[in-house]
Amino acid sequence: MVISTGGPTLAQIRAFLAVAEFLHFREAAAALGVSQPTLSAALAGCEEALGARLVERTTRRVMLTPAGERMVPLARTVAVAVDAMVAEADLARRPFSGTLRLGIIPTVAPYLLPAALRGLRRSFGSLAVEVHEERTARLVDGLATGRLDTAVLALPTGHRGLVEQPLYDEEFVLVVPRGHPAAGRASVSPKSLRELEVLLLDEGHCLRDQALDVCREVGAAGVESATRAASLSTLVQLVAADMGVTLLPETAVAVETRRGGLAVTRFSPQAPSRRIGLVYRESAGRGEEYAAIAAELRRAARVRRLPVRIAGT
């Protein structure tokens, strides 16, 4: 009787597979680069661990038992899975390879990604970028749980354990209907928001919180109950319909105001602004790689001629 003492080792599984393939101990041992006694011991250990006879050996031939026949596809699955794990680990050890799960907030994605993805492909050809466009809370949660590797969002995040690489600063501008009194002005004071109906994005967008902060700083009241939109595109169309005004990050202006019916006025003095950065877990141990990716994102912002001030310049 064969008594099971636990699962077989990978070496024992490979010994069984070699015997199952060649049905010849000398050839199987040569294929594995081991001696026949070593092969026989590994096979015996596999059978003992499984509690089942897998191979029948006579003086004239080697045969698989019925149990051995059934075990072959399972053993192959295990060996292939382990090989895949080893290959993936080897890939992970190499910088700028494998898959980069990149999160990005919706108020940045359409304006930075076109140039950024081209630049990442050009500079890091072995890196596959998987983009996740989500709101800030989901991105931070994705970083914390390991669902995401890095994320592009507004700084600071206020979360411990995250490293923040600033990318650029951008100003907010005031977007008004074309016939609005502020439409023809070269600039307006942020205090003018006190008298305006400011439209905001839905809760969960960091841009909503940033716009609220601007309004509160100048004493604008009642903004929290304003009409809300799910996207910047909807927001500016509400403005075009003369339902109010809104604040846009300057990188969004060229794309979101091209449909017409809108006017853009800058704030003066000291326009409100936000900082965008690349964020990743400190514990990831890939700081040098992510710093290089942040540098490529800054370069992409320059290439695309985004109206921003690149961090560190």
Side-chain angles (χ1 to χ4, degrees):
M1 170 186 269
V2 179
I3 301 174
S4 174
T5 59
T9 66
L10 181 61
Q12 291 169 345
I13 291 173
R14 293 194 189 283
F16 165 58
L17 285 173
V19 172
E21 179 181 356
F22 292 98
L23 294 178
H24 195 289
F25 272 69
R26 187 176 67 250
E27 293 179 6
L32 292 179
V34 300
S35 67
Q36 286 190 55
T38 299
L39 176 71
S40 296
L43 177 61
C46 186
E47 292 178 323
E48 183 178 357
L50 293 172
R53 184 68 64 196
L54 304 177
V55 175
E56 183 181 342
R57 186 179 186 182
T58 70
T59 56
R60 301 183 62 182
R61 62 183 300 189
V62 174
M63 301 177 293
L64 293 179
T65 67
E69 294 278 3
R70 295 193 299 271
M71 293 290 184
V72 167
L74 299 175
R76 283 181 180 145
T77 299
V78 171
V80 168
V82 171
D83 288 342
M85 288 179 64
V86 172
E88 184 63 31
D90 179 63
L91 192 64
R93 285 194 296 271
R94 285 183 277 153
F96 309 114
S97 60
T99 300
L100 176 72
R101 298 167 298 176
L102 174 68
I104 188 166
I105 53 176
T107 57
V108 169
Y111 323 115
L112 178 63
L113 277 183
L117 293 178
R118 284 194 296 271
L120 291 172
R121 282 195 296 266
R122 182 181 58 252
S123 299
F124 314 117
S126 298
L127 188 67
V129 181
E130 185 180 282
V131 176
H132 298 255
E133 184 184 21
E134 298 171 350
R135 298 183 185 183
T136 299
R138 283 274 298 162
L139 294 180
V140 172
D141 178 72
L143 289 171
T145 60
R147 180 174 59 84
L148 298 175
D149 300 311
T150 64
V152 176
L153 39 72
L155 304 182
T157 62
H159 289 264
R160 296 178 61 184
L162 295 181
V163 178
E164 300 177 352
Q165 287 270 351
L167 299 179
Y168 59 79
D169 298 304
E170 64 176 328
E171 295 183 349
F172 291 112
V173 298
L174 181 67
V175 179
V176 301
R178 183 168 292 168
H180 193 276
R185 301 180 61 178
S187 64
V188 295
S189 168
K191 293 181 180 179
S192 64
L193 295 173
R194 298 173 183 172
E195 288 79 42
L196 299 175
E197 181 72 22
V198 181
L199 307 180
L200 302 173
L201 288 172
D202 286 334
E203 291 183 8
H205 287 281
C206 61
L207 183 57
R208 170 187 170 83
D209 298 329
Q210 294 154 5
L212 282 172
D213 288 341
V214 172
C215 292
R216 288 167 182 152
E217 284 180 12
V218 298
V223 180
E224 291 87 342
S225 60
T227 298
R228 302 173 186 177
S231 68
L232 288 183
S233 296
T234 301
L235 196 63
V236 296
Q237 291 310 301
L238 293 176
V239 174
D242 205 16
M243 294 186 65
V245 304
T246 197
L247 299 177
L248 276 191
E250 197 165 7
T251 52
V253 170
V255 173
E256 302 301 344
T257 63
R258 60 189 173 190
R259 294 182 184 177
L262 300 163
V264 176
T265 303
R266 299 185 178 279
F267 289 104
S268 180
Q270 196 169 353
S273 64
R274 68 174 181 175
R275 169 162 287 190
I276 299 299
L278 183 74
V279 181
Y280 55 89
R281 292 182 305 281
E282 186 175 14
S283 60
R286 299 177 65 182
E288 290 187 9
E289 289 178 66
Y290 294 152
I293 289 170
E296 178 56 43
L297 295 178
R298 294 186 197 102
R299 195 194 71 82
R302 287 193 294 268
V303 168
R304 194 164 171 80
R305 299 181 184 275
L306 295 181
V308 298
R309 182 171 63 83
I310 304 298
T313 60

